[in-house]
Amino acid sequence: MPPDTQSLERPLLLALMRGADGLFAWVADASDGAQAPALRRMALAELPAGLYPQRDTLLADWRQVRAARELGAAWPALWRVFRATLSESGDQAAPMPRRVTPAARPIATAAHPRAFRGTKFQPPKQAAPVLDLAAWLADDRLFDGFLARHDHARLPLPGADGAPLALAGAADRVPTVASLLAQGAGQWPAVPEAFRRAFLWRLRTRPLSELLAWLQLWRGLGGVPHGPALIVPATLCALAPHEHAWAALALTLAPPRQIVFLTAVLKQRAYLLAPGVLDQSQLAAIDALDADDERFAAYLDAVLDNLQRKVSVAYSLEGCLLASQRVTPLRPHELRSRLRAGKACPDFRVSDIVRMRVTLGPDGDYRNLRLWEDCAHAPGLAQVLRDTCWEKLSAGVADTWLSIFTSTVWYDDDQTEKQNDKRWRAHLAIFPTWHADLIALSGVWQEKYVRLTSDYASRWDDGDTLRDSVAHLAPLLRRLCSPPFSADTDIGFPLSSMADAFPVEGWRQLAAAGERTWLTVERACRREDDGRMIGRGLASLARCWPAFTMRSFSLAPQSLMRVARLLGYIAWERRRQFLSESAHTVWFSTRWTELAPDDACRMLYRLCLDCGVQSPVPRRLREHFEGKVVLSEAQIARHCHLAMSRMPHVLLAALEQAILRSIDQPFKLHDRSGAASHAVRLAAGIDTNRKGLRRFLREQAEGRAGAYLEHSLNRAWFARHPRIDALAWQGGALCVDVDGLPGARLTVASDPLDILMLGTHVGSCLGLGGLCDYSAVACLLDANKQVVYARDAAGRVLARQLLAIDEGDRLVCFAVYPPNANEALLRAFHAFDQAMAASLGIDIYRHDDDDAYEVAIVLAEHWWDDGLWQEQDDYAAAD
């Protein structure tokens, strides 16, 4: 026994009396190598509760083992200490145990005759066996060596109950510490070196149950001495040793996913949460979602991350289930972002999404997760999904119907959360009315109703007035979805633009408007872009001049639509400023109804002469004012009444003239041609490329139509591309006829004002009022872009195509518009493209080329790339 252990008896006794916590604290203080070796086994163990009620008994056993000179005397104490303590491989060398059983007394032989009794000779006594039991107990390897050399027949190993172990002395098997612990010889499992190194120090002050739990977990993970199976659970143990229940969940998974789960717990700091928030069945449900480990990790990350924000596992699982059912699977990083939820929706049901999905079909794949997210932020949306009769809707109707309750509630800097909440609650309150009317319709009328409702709801700012307006205008929406109205024309934007700004009496007036009035509105909105511009113009008129707009709608709807469309071409701020200034002109500041009829008509007549507006005053009354005839009072009154009844038309005509003067004032081009008028209206509405277009229009007014082609930036582009012949690129005499269409031919547009109409001619988004109308300016100003028109014999545009030269000197052919152009036209465009490339001596860019094309923006500010003509090779047979 090492002599320095004598001084440790009293500290160890005091530590044992203080309990396990005191014992481990003592070990920390006595950590130097000189003191610890002999007592390392005892000191690293927490005493099992109830095993030694009197801790002094264990200390006495230890002292007996330490002082033993004969194995039999210390045998029971040795095994009591063995069962009550843990070993640890010592960092100091100790001698390997030898045979410790005393040698048998020598038998008298002829060589030693005096060995018989009665003689004086006594054989020399054998040296007492060296017993270093304390050192051997401290190291399982040394104790295994002791067991390998022990005489088990003479001194059998006792079990926990004191009875000899039946298998301990088996001839074909040498007992070891591990086998003894496995047979229940002690209450402590074997603690391998890897577990001691990675776990035991952090668990030295923890209860025994925690140590055993982590040991079971580590062994369940395979007992790997290095790598993730050791590092990951050891890190978790170091951070939260009391949260072994989280780690124990990993053992319910297949081995490849155990470390994935523990890594997710560490990454999301889930160990800070109560372990019961994720149970075994929920983990099994996550495990069953996907066979791919990366996607499994993404699902785990999402669920545990949501738990940090108090989003229940049940709600996260529903999102995971929807994500796993997508036709187009999401990538792991997309899953993590899409499944992140800030709050839960308690009444969300996947079954409602399934019903909706049956109606939408594969095209609605993107809707599932979006609705799962929206239901958490829009209380009541789950009820909308549940109450909607999806079975009675077509896929297109169902998609638009959903947009009413998702896309129409937005959050941005201009809308406070309170305003958005009011709008959303208004949608919920109106849902039963809208839904009942929708289900009562069918076919194309159902499609029109849902479009009307979507526009009506999305354009409304205030939720309270939206809810109040339904009582008056819901019957109007139903009426517009039946003959004689068109099933294809959508007037929801113009309707909501007026209703949003009107008071209650305006709603009543709209609801009471006759069939002819609404047919007039529909005719004006047949083109989508026209309807958008009319809605913009009506929105400004109704807000700035509500009484004037209501009266004009009743008495002059056709003129009102024409003026609203023209006003809509002007950008919002300029439109508001124009109306504010116009309100102070004589036309609109005069209180016409307060004037005497005779005076009002005289004033109106003079204003019409000055402004060039057609006078509403009857001819006989005009002659009376000029002194040519004399009318009686009754005649004057009758003529004045007729003139004043035409006042809405006159005021609208005056407003139209004022709008045209305002937008055309810098250019004086409006009256030159329809294309010039189109360009002026385009300049009034765009912000992007506005500077370049206004410069071009001023040059047009000055007679310098082609000045933009000589701009230094355009000349610099040609200088960078010396292969390009400018004359050949700008059209020249290149012309291609269209087979089967006599007189139809394709040419490069040469009139710059006509180039600006490339979208308007075919009804694309580059047209006047379209979303990308600014791009028409880039197609005109940039030297590397040209427009090709297909015209019939009368000069009407049948189709058009945009061509461009990229930075690699390749001809890039963009899509042909309109999309429904016939095959003969498409073959003609293919032939024209081939001829253009040949005349320039360059190749045509193909969609399967290795590198992407790069079309530069030369003189414009911005340009919309409409996409390559993917089907161009399909029409090569016409070559």
Side-chain angles (χ1 to χ4, degrees):
M1 180 183 71
D4 59 350
T5 58
Q6 297 286 347
S7 60
L8 300 179
E9 290 182 3
R10 182 167 179 78
L12 177 59
L13 176 61
L14 294 175
L16 289 171
M17 292 176 66
R18 288 196 298 269
D21 293 340
L23 175 63
F24 286 122
W26 172 79
V27 172
D29 294 335
S31 59
D32 61 317
Q35 295 178 340
L39 298 178
R40 186 70 59 85
R41 181 178 173 90
M42 279 185 57
L44 288 176
E46 178 183 358
L47 298 179
L51 182 62
Y52 282 90
Q54 302 297 327
R55 290 182 174 88
D56 292 348
T57 305
L58 179 58
L59 185 56
D61 287 339
W62 172 253
R63 290 172 179 169
Q64 185 178 356
V65 169
R66 190 190 62 186
R69 292 293 181 271
E70 199 277 320
L71 191 58
W75 194 245
L78 172 67
W79 289 101
R80 284 196 294 269
V81 172
F82 176 84
R83 290 192 299 270
T85 60
L86 288 172
S87 66
E88 179 175 298
S89 297
D91 50 8
Q92 295 186 0
M96 180 59 68
R98 297 181 177 173
R99 188 174 181 86
V100 295
T101 304
R105 185 179 183 87
I107 302 174
T109 64
H112 297 284
R114 287 185 290 181
F116 292 95
R117 184 176 296 179
T119 64
K120 292 182 179 181
F121 175 77
Q122 295 292 330
K125 293 183 178 180
Q126 297 290 334
V130 177
L131 295 179
D132 196 0
L133 297 179
W136 300 345
L137 279 172
D139 193 321
D140 286 351
R141 297 168 300 176
L142 296 180
F143 204 73
D144 283 344
F146 159 73
L147 293 174
R149 291 163 176 79
H150 176 64
D151 185 354
H152 297 280
R154 174 180 171 271
L155 200 61
L157 305 186
D161 56 357
L165 290 175
L167 300 177
D172 60 343
R173 180 176 167 189
V174 176
T176 62
V177 172
S179 64
L180 291 175
L181 294 174
Q183 295 174 23
Q187 297 187 15
W188 294 94
V191 182
E193 173 67 21
F195 182 82
R196 283 194 295 269
R197 184 179 68 251
F199 291 85
L200 208 55
W201 176 255
R202 184 64 179 91
L203 296 170
R204 69 190 187 282
T205 60
R206 307 302 304 175
L208 170 64
S209 58
E210 290 184 13
L211 185 144
L212 294 177
W214 285 105
L215 181 59
Q216 179 185 11
L217 171 71
W218 179 72
R219 284 179 168 167
L221 295 174
V224 182
H226 52 77
L230 174 69
I231 297 171
V232 174
T235 304
L236 185 57
C237 175
L239 292 172
H242 57 289
E243 294 298 348
H244 50 80
W246 270 105
L249 281 173
L251 299 181
T252 65
L253 299 170
R257 292 193 166 181
Q258 292 172 345
I259 299 302
V260 175
F261 172 75
L262 294 177
T263 302
V265 171
L266 280 174
K267 177 182 176 181
Q268 302 299 335
R269 304 179 70 187
Y271 52 81
L272 299 177
L273 303 169
V277 295
L278 176 66
D279 59 37
Q280 182 176 340
S281 62
Q282 291 170 331
L283 181 58
I286 299 173
D287 182 41
L289 288 173
D290 203 290
D292 182 71
D293 287 346
E294 288 189 22
R295 294 169 62 80
F296 170 68
Y299 286 126
L300 275 177
D301 285 343
V303 172
L304 297 179
D305 182 44
N306 288 344
L307 273 175
Q308 299 289 352
R309 289 181 297 279
K310 300 182 179 180
V311 177
S312 68
V313 176
Y315 184 69
S316 296
L317 264 175
E318 288 172 327
C320 294
L321 181 60
L322 292 174
S324 68
Q325 295 173 349
R326 284 177 58 95
V327 175
T328 305
L330 294 172
R331 292 186 289 272
H333 73 277
E334 293 174 323
L335 285 173
R336 290 182 175 90
S337 61
R338 293 293 305 276
L339 291 173
R340 192 177 191 274
K343 58 176 70 174
C345 177
D347 57 345
F348 181 84
R349 300 292 183 271
V350 173
S351 58
D352 299 327
I353 300 295
V354 172
R355 291 174 49 234
M356 176 210 72
R357 177 66 183 275
V358 171
T359 299
L360 289 177
D363 293 340
D365 197 29
Y366 72 98
R367 284 284 192 181
N368 295 358
L369 273 183
R370 179 61 58 83
L371 287 170
W372 176 78
E373 299 173 62
D374 291 343
C375 283
H377 297 287
L381 179 57
Q383 190 64 36
V384 169
L385 297 175
R386 188 168 300 117
D387 292 345
T388 297
C389 295
W390 300 107
E391 299 77 10
K392 296 185 178 181
L393 306 180
S394 66
V397 170
D399 188 72
T400 307
W401 175 252
L402 276 175
S403 71
I404 298 174
F405 300 95
T406 54
S407 303
T408 56
V409 178
W410 63 89
Y411 292 84
D412 54 33
D413 295 336
D414 298 328
Q415 295 283 331
T416 65
E417 186 173 348
K418 183 177 180 180
Q419 286 176 312
N420 284 293
D421 184 66
K422 288 171 62 177
R423 293 181 68 250
W424 169 243
R425 293 186 182 281
H427 292 163
L428 288 182
I430 305 170
F431 166 77
T433 301
W434 284 339
H435 184 261
D437 291 344
L438 176 65
I439 298 303
L441 300 171
S442 61
V444 294
W445 297 113
Q446 200 176 62
E447 294 174 8
K448 179 178 182 178
Y449 182 84
V450 78
R451 290 198 308 268
L452 278 175
T453 306
S454 178
D455 283 344
Y456 184 82
S458 64
R459 307 291 180 177
W460 210 285
D461 291 334
D462 182 67
D464 292 339
T465 56
L466 172 63
R467 183 178 57 252
D468 296 341
S469 70
V470 170
H472 301 275
L473 298 179
L476 173 62
L477 293 179
R478 290 196 303 270
R479 182 157 61 99
L480 293 173
C481 295
S482 59
F485 299 105
S486 169
D488 300 323
T489 305
D490 180 11
I491 60 171
F493 184 17
L495 172 59
S496 62
S497 298
M498 291 186 290
D500 186 23
F502 282 173
V504 176
E505 59 202 51
W507 301 340
R508 297 194 185 100
Q509 182 177 326
L510 291 174
E515 184 178 280
R516 293 184 60 184
T517 299
W518 289 113
L519 287 173
T520 299
V521 176
E522 278 199 346
R523 283 193 296 271
C525 297
R526 280 174 297 188
R527 292 182 66 252
E528 184 179 352
D529 289 345
D530 287 345
R532 185 182 302 111
M533 294 302 101
I534 289 173
R536 288 172 55 177
L538 287 175
S540 295
L541 282 171
R543 287 187 181 279
C544 297
W545 302 347
F548 171 79
T549 307
M550 284 190 287
R551 188 159 185 260
S552 299
F553 183 76
S554 297
L555 301 177
Q558 186 174 1
S559 299
L560 178 63
M561 296 301 111
R562 186 174 62 251
V563 171
R565 181 178 60 185
L566 184 59
L567 186 62
Y569 293 134
I570 306 176
W572 163 250
E573 284 299 326
R574 295 191 289 275
R575 188 162 71 239
R576 184 186 58 81
Q577 182 180 2
F578 168 78
L579 290 176
S580 176
E581 293 172 353
S582 298
H584 297 89
T585 62
V586 178
W587 283 104
F588 300 101
S589 62
T590 302
R591 299 177 180 272
W592 297 100
T593 57
E594 297 179 3
L595 295 176
D598 186 21
D599 294 338
C601 288
R602 288 178 184 276
M603 184 175 179
L604 187 60
Y605 179 49
R606 288 195 301 271
L607 283 175
C608 290
L609 290 177
D610 294 340
C611 298
V613 176
Q614 184 176 358
S615 173
V617 179
R619 179 182 58 82
R620 294 285 291 173
L621 186 57
R622 292 198 304 268
E623 293 175 348
H624 172 76
F625 291 154
E626 294 170 355
K628 296 179 180 179
V629 297
V630 177
L631 299 178
S632 64
E633 292 296 329
Q635 290 175 320
I636 294 174
R638 186 171 65 254
H639 287 309
C640 286
H641 177 75
L642 179 60
M644 296 307 293
S645 68
R646 298 170 178 172
M647 179 62 73
H649 296 272
V650 178
L651 292 179
L652 288 170
L655 183 59
E656 183 177 7
Q657 289 291 334
I659 296 172
L660 290 173
R661 285 195 302 271
S662 175
I663 63 177
D664 192 39
Q665 190 275 331
F667 318 115
K668 307 295 190 296
L669 291 173
H670 170 69
D671 295 330
R672 291 193 181 183
S673 65
S677 175
H678 173 276
V680 169
R681 285 176 285 164
L682 180 63
I686 64 172
D687 290 318
T688 305
N689 293 335
R690 183 169 184 257
K691 182 178 179 180
L693 177 58
R694 291 175 66 85
R695 181 175 60 243
F696 161 76
L697 291 178
R698 286 194 295 268
E699 293 168 350
Q700 283 286 119
E702 295 167 3
R704 298 186 294 127
Y708 69 97
L709 296 174
E710 301 301 322
H711 194 281
S712 59
L713 293 178
N714 279 331
R715 284 191 279 106
W717 184 86
F718 278 111
R720 294 196 306 272
H721 300 267
R723 294 181 57 188
I724 306 304
D725 183 343
L727 292 179
W729 172 234
Q730 291 167 3
L734 186 59
C735 176
V736 172
D737 292 331
V738 182
D739 293 338
L741 295 176
R745 58 180 52 190
L746 276 66
T747 57
V748 172
S750 57
D751 182 357
L753 293 174
D754 195 36
I755 293 175
L756 291 174
M757 300 183 70
L758 81 162
T760 304
H761 280 316
V762 296
S764 75
C765 63
L766 273 64
L768 187 62
L771 296 176
C772 301
D773 53 3
Y774 62 86
S775 191
V777 181
C779 297
L780 166 69
L781 298 181
D782 288 352
N784 60 348
K785 302 175 181 70
Q786 293 291 346
V787 178
V788 180
Y789 282 127
R791 299 179 183 271
D792 61 13
R796 291 186 295 266
V797 172
L798 303 175
R800 62 91 173 156
Q801 183 185 30
L802 176 66
L803 301 179
I805 298 175
D806 79 338
E807 292 303 281
D809 285 347
R810 294 172 296 186
L811 183 66
V812 183
C813 308
F814 293 94
V816 176
Y817 280 88
N820 61 351
N822 63 45
E823 186 172 338
L825 285 171
L826 296 177
R827 292 190 184 281
F829 274 106
H830 182 275
F832 189 95
D833 298 343
Q834 296 288 331
M836 175 63 79
S839 68
L840 296 173
I842 61 176
D843 295 328
I844 294 179
Y845 180 86
R846 306 293 179 184
H847 66 274
D848 54 354
D849 285 359
D850 294 334
D851 57 331
Y853 65 83
E854 180 185 356
V855 176
I857 299 176
V858 183
L859 187 55
E861 300 172 15
H862 195 62
W863 170 65
W864 172 255
D865 186 338
D866 205 27
L868 191 68
W869 186 18
Q870 297 287 343
E871 300 83 12
Q872 57 182 320
D873 292 338
D874 296 345
Y875 303 97
D879 293 346

